[in-house]
């Protein structure tokens, strides 16, 4: 991947959105190809051999979940889902189907670029593809291992009991290291757009996570903004 351009396949049926992404990603130096249906997308996966796929969750023919399933059986390339705002079920389901991250529409191009770089870096770090596949669903925070698929956390071999929302919040933060999230954004992502409550809910969950995982120095308060997860070096 050093000399050749990084290839990104965009599978998105809304052509204006696909065009904007194509324009922006090309400007960033990526080689980009567009597909407007799931079937076209699958053909391009073979023909174009992308390093990363941006996948719209709602396509006219195949669902995002169908495509992730086919990809997981046959390939090993990272996928970032594009989903409608506030549709938390889709996001959680997509991540459990093996998507590496997601972007909520409408999106900021700057955010898209950051997420692509983060996912590519993480994926390259994982090294050899077969190894990467086995490790795909494991996340780490300090001395704890998070298994996203089984929704379990082991710290020094001992299970840590988390509520579903604590677990989702933890996975979210760990999946986006060093990225600062406002309380509102976390509410939106974890509790859903329609959640009626206030940002103290987030504070309470963060406090409990820190306590349960002894993670005060890795889940950090950014004063006046929100929270971020900073992995230990
Ligand atoms: Ca769509």
């Amino acid at each position: 991947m050093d000399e050749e351009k990084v290839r990104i396949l965009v599978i998105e049926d809304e052509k204006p959105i696909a065009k904007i992404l194509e324009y922006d990603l090309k400007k960033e130096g990526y080689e980009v190809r567009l597909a407007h249906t799931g079937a076209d997308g699958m053909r391009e996966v073979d023909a174009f051999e992308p390093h990363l796929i941006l996948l719209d969750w709602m396509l006219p023919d195949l669902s995002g979940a169908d495509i992730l399933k086919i990809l997981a059986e046959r390939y090993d390339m990272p996928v970032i889902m594009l989903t409608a705002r506030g549709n938390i079920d889709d996001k959680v389901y997509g991540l459990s189907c093996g998507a590496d991250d997601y972007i909520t529409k409408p999106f900021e191009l700057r955010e898209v670029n950051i997420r692509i770089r983060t996912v590519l870096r993480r994926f390259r770090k994982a090294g050899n593809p077969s190894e990467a596949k086995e490790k795909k669903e494991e996340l780490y925070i300090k001395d704890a291992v998070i298994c996203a698929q089984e929704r379990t956390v082991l710290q020094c071999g001992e299970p840590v009991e988390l509520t579903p929302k604590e677990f989702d919040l933890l996975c979210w933060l760990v999946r986006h290291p060093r990225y600062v999230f406002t309380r509102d954004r976390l509410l939106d992502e974890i509790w859903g757009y329609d959640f009626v409550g206030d940002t103290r809910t987030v504070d309470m969950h963060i406090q409990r996570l820190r306590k349960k995982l002894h993670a005060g120095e890795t889940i950090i308060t950014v004063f006046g903004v929100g929270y971020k997860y900073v992995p230990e070096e």
Side-chain angles (χ1 to χ4, degrees):
M1 243 187 265
D2 301 329
E3 297 288 319
E4 58 176 336
K5 278 188 177 178
V6 173
R7 294 183 297 276
I8 297 181
L9 172 62
V10 179
I11 309 178
E12 165 64 84
D13 62 318
E14 284 167 78
K15 290 183 182 167
I17 294 179
K19 278 282 172 207
I20 289 169
L21 285 168
E22 181 184 33
Y23 175 79
D24 184 66
L25 295 174
K26 279 187 173 166
K27 217 171 62 188
E28 290 290 313
Y30 297 112
E31 200 179 329
V32 183
R33 212 173 276 187
L34 303 182
H36 300 304
T37 65
D40 272 350
M42 293 316 301
R43 270 192 293 277
E44 289 294 354
V45 169
D46 283 323
F48 184 50
E49 296 184 342
H51 295 104
L52 180 141
I53 299 173
L54 288 180
L55 172 65
D56 177 32
W57 199 242
M58 301 281 280
L59 291 163
D61 51 351
L62 297 169
S63 74
D66 293 337
I67 292 178
L68 281 175
K69 215 170 128 193
I70 301 168
L71 287 172
E73 280 167 10
R74 290 167 48 194
Y75 306 91
D76 196 51
M77 51 189 68
V79 177
I80 300 178
M81 306 157 51
L82 302 168
T83 72
R85 181 168 169 81
N87 210 339
I88 193 78
D89 288 342
D90 280 357
K91 294 170 189 173
V92 171
Y93 184 53
L95 292 176
S96 74
C97 290
D100 295 83
D101 200 352
Y102 60 78
I103 293 166
T104 303
K105 291 194 255 189
F107 46 74
E108 292 277 336
L109 289 169
R110 212 160 59 95
E111 185 192 359
V112 175
N113 285 318
I114 289 170
R115 286 180 188 243
I116 287 175
R117 279 202 293 273
T118 306
V119 167
L120 283 172
R121 200 183 313 129
R122 197 165 63 207
F123 201 74
R124 277 184 215 155
K125 248 193 207 161
N128 135 12
S130 59
E131 209 176 296
K133 200 163 220 168
E134 272 169 37
K135 286 182 181 169
K136 212 172 189 175
E137 290 302 311
E138 276 193 357
L139 302 165
Y140 302 91
I141 174 167
K142 289 191 69 191
D143 44 7
V145 186
I146 306 161
C147 180
Q149 252 162 351
E150 293 170 16
R151 297 184 66 86
T152 56
V153 181
L154 289 177
Q155 188 161 40
C156 304
E158 293 292 321
V160 180
E161 298 289 337
L162 297 182
T163 66
K165 290 296 182 214
E166 286 167 5
F167 187 85
D168 292 339
L169 180 61
L170 176 66
C171 285
W172 178 265
L173 291 171
V174 175
R175 279 182 202 275
H176 303 90
R178 298 186 186 84
Y179 197 104
V180 182
F181 293 102
T182 62
R183 291 169 177 81
D184 283 324
R185 171 79 191 272
L186 291 171
L187 270 184
D188 191 2
E189 297 291 353
I190 311 299
W191 280 265
Y193 192 48
D194 299 328
F195 176 75
V196 183
D198 66 42
T199 51
R200 271 172 303 182
T201 308
V202 178
D203 298 333
M204 272 156 42
H205 279 73
I206 293 275
Q207 279 166 28
R208 287 205 298 264
L209 277 178
R210 282 177 178 152
K211 204 164 163 190
K212 289 183 180 179
L213 291 161
H214 314 289
E217 70 279 25
T218 52
I219 299 174
I220 293 174
T221 305
V222 180
F223 287 102
V225 189
Y227 296 103
K228 67 177 173 180
Y229 159 66
V230 177
E232 291 181 317
E233 290 304 325

